[in-house]
Amino acid sequence: MLSDLSLTWLLVAFAVAGSIVVVASIRATALADIIADRTAMGEALVGGVLLGGATSLSGVVVSVSVAAQGDASFAFSNAVGGIAAQTLFLAIADTLHRRANLEHAAAEPANLFQCVMLLILLGLPVAAMAGPDVAYFGIHPVSVVLFIAYAAGVRLAASVREEPMWQPVETGETRRDDPADAADAHKSARGPVLVFAALAAAMGLCGYVIGQGGQEFVTRFGLASSLVGSLVTAVVTSLPELVTTLVAVRRGALQLAVGGIIGGNTFDTLFLVFSDVAYREGSLYHAVGLSDLYWLATGLLMTAVLMAGLILRQREGPARIGIESVLMMAIYGGAVAVEVLA
């Protein structure tokens, strides 16, 4: 569809699609906060499952569409590159929350559990890549395990939210997950849910345009698929997470901000499952290169640092942000340098 466009119009289509995704995500964040209050699901769970999944739709469409066209590296790097970029966004949001370190203020057992779940989900592709090159009906067995593990993890995260076995120590900077308007919490969630679903569909459609545009960049300029996937489409399709995180922090919905990033990242691991199904030339995990594995390792390392920050709950660190935020910025910066200079 985009192959016949001139470079100028290709860039315009790419920019418009990215802009629509960002604008839709801003509205979706406000609705997610309302849905969290009206359904009593809580900001961490709604942010991790509903908002995280919706803002990730454009990214999953990118990975699936390019995988179906045989570009395994593009599909893989778009998924894991997006996880690294979105984790970086928490560090950026930390710089805006001046009262205390964001990970300190947004203490929530469900977020910590989802962080552990994300490490497990990111470890499964590593096992697949290191294991035998097998595929049944074109699908690697690890993809099935990954999908089941995600579904089980979401269910367990809900139980952690409803019946936590431990509670974080509350300080003067801890932000509790209470409805902003007690009267509004008793209203129906149907309207916000329907609008939210329409916004999610729009983001998914724009994701297809972004994916096709990214492939055109690879073809026209001779760029590496891993470079475009990890640093172009992954970042563009991750912009909703940046916007929703910043908006949530400004609204004071800190659990929603942290939960949206971590939950979005756990959902992003399903990109690999869907891409493996769409990739018809065998196992997706054995069709990618070391540069793609490097971005997977980057995501693992940044997630581990984030989890350490959630446990440590440092009030203040360098430049009035947590030490974990400084480390995540450094790790991501190093990964970008390696990708560009390699």
Side-chain angles (χ1 to χ4, degrees):
M1 179 179 65
L2 301 181
S3 59
D4 296 329
L5 296 179
S6 65
L7 177 59
T8 299
W9 284 109
L10 174 64
L11 293 174
V12 168
F14 194 87
V16 168
S19 299
I20 292 175
V21 168
V22 170
V23 172
S25 67
I26 295 174
R27 178 57 179 157
T29 304
L31 289 171
D33 200 8
I34 294 172
I35 293 170
D37 293 341
R38 295 187 182 181
T39 61
M41 290 175 63
E43 291 177 0
L45 189 58
V46 170
V49 179
L50 193 63
L51 184 60
T55 54
S56 295
L57 272 179
S58 58
V60 73
V61 172
V62 170
S63 285
V64 169
S65 62
V66 298
Q69 296 174 31
D71 198 335
S73 179
F74 196 151
F76 194 96
S77 60
N78 177 72
V80 296
I83 290 172
Q86 288 158 199
T87 308
L88 174 70
F89 296 160
L90 271 184
I92 296 174
D94 195 8
T95 65
L96 300 181
H97 186 66
R98 307 307 299 167
R99 291 186 59 185
N101 176 18
L102 181 61
E103 280 72 38
H104 172 90
E108 171 63 50
N111 282 336
L112 186 56
F113 177 81
Q114 287 192 106
C115 209
V116 175
M117 186 174 76
L118 177 57
L119 287 174
I120 295 172
L121 295 176
L122 288 174
L124 288 172
V126 176
M129 296 169 76
D133 185 357
V134 296
Y136 302 97
F137 303 103
I139 304 172
H140 195 284
V142 162
S143 291
V144 179
V145 175
L146 201 157
F147 184 84
I148 295 173
Y150 174 82
V154 169
R155 183 174 181 179
L156 289 173
S159 67
V160 171
R161 158 70 188 176
E162 294 167 2
E163 300 178 1
M165 296 301 292
W166 64 270
Q167 294 285 353
V169 174
E170 290 196 12
T171 69
E173 301 300 336
T174 303
R175 196 279 184 184
R176 300 188 64 180
D177 181 7
D178 295 322
D181 185 345
D184 185 72
H186 298 290
K187 296 180 180 179
S188 172
R190 181 179 179 182
V193 168
L194 291 176
V195 177
F196 189 94
L199 292 171
M203 286 188 276
L205 179 61
C206 290
Y208 178 78
V209 176
I210 293 170
Q212 297 305 301
Q215 279 205 309
E216 282 299 309
F217 295 152
V218 171
T219 302
R220 296 191 188 191
F221 302 113
L223 300 174
S225 293
S226 62
L227 175 65
V228 176
S230 61
L231 296 181
V232 180
T233 60
V235 173
V236 171
T237 56
S238 295
L239 286 177
E241 278 79 3
L242 174 60
V243 173
T244 56
T245 301
L246 298 182
V247 170
V249 169
R250 289 182 64 85
R251 290 170 60 93
L254 304 186
Q255 284 86 357
L256 183 67
V258 177
I261 290 293
I262 302 173
N265 284 348
T266 57
F267 184 85
D268 284 6
T269 60
L270 295 183
F271 290 16
L272 302 178
V273 176
F274 302 141
S275 297
D276 190 27
V277 173
Y279 185 70
R280 294 290 79 200
E281 299 177 26
S283 166
L284 176 80
Y285 308 102
H286 292 88
V288 298
L290 289 178
S291 58
D292 304 306
L293 178 60
Y294 183 79
W295 278 104
L296 179 58
T298 299
L300 271 165
L301 186 57
M302 293 179 72
T303 302
V305 170
L306 173 60
M307 185 173 71
L310 290 170
I311 296 173
L312 181 62
R313 294 189 65 201
Q314 183 184 30
R315 273 195 172 92
E316 293 184 4
R320 296 182 61 83
I321 60 176
I323 185 63
E324 73 278 357
S325 295
V326 175
L327 291 175
M328 288 189 294
M329 289 178 181
I331 293 168
Y332 188 83
V336 171
V338 169
E339 179 67 55
V340 173
L341 300 176

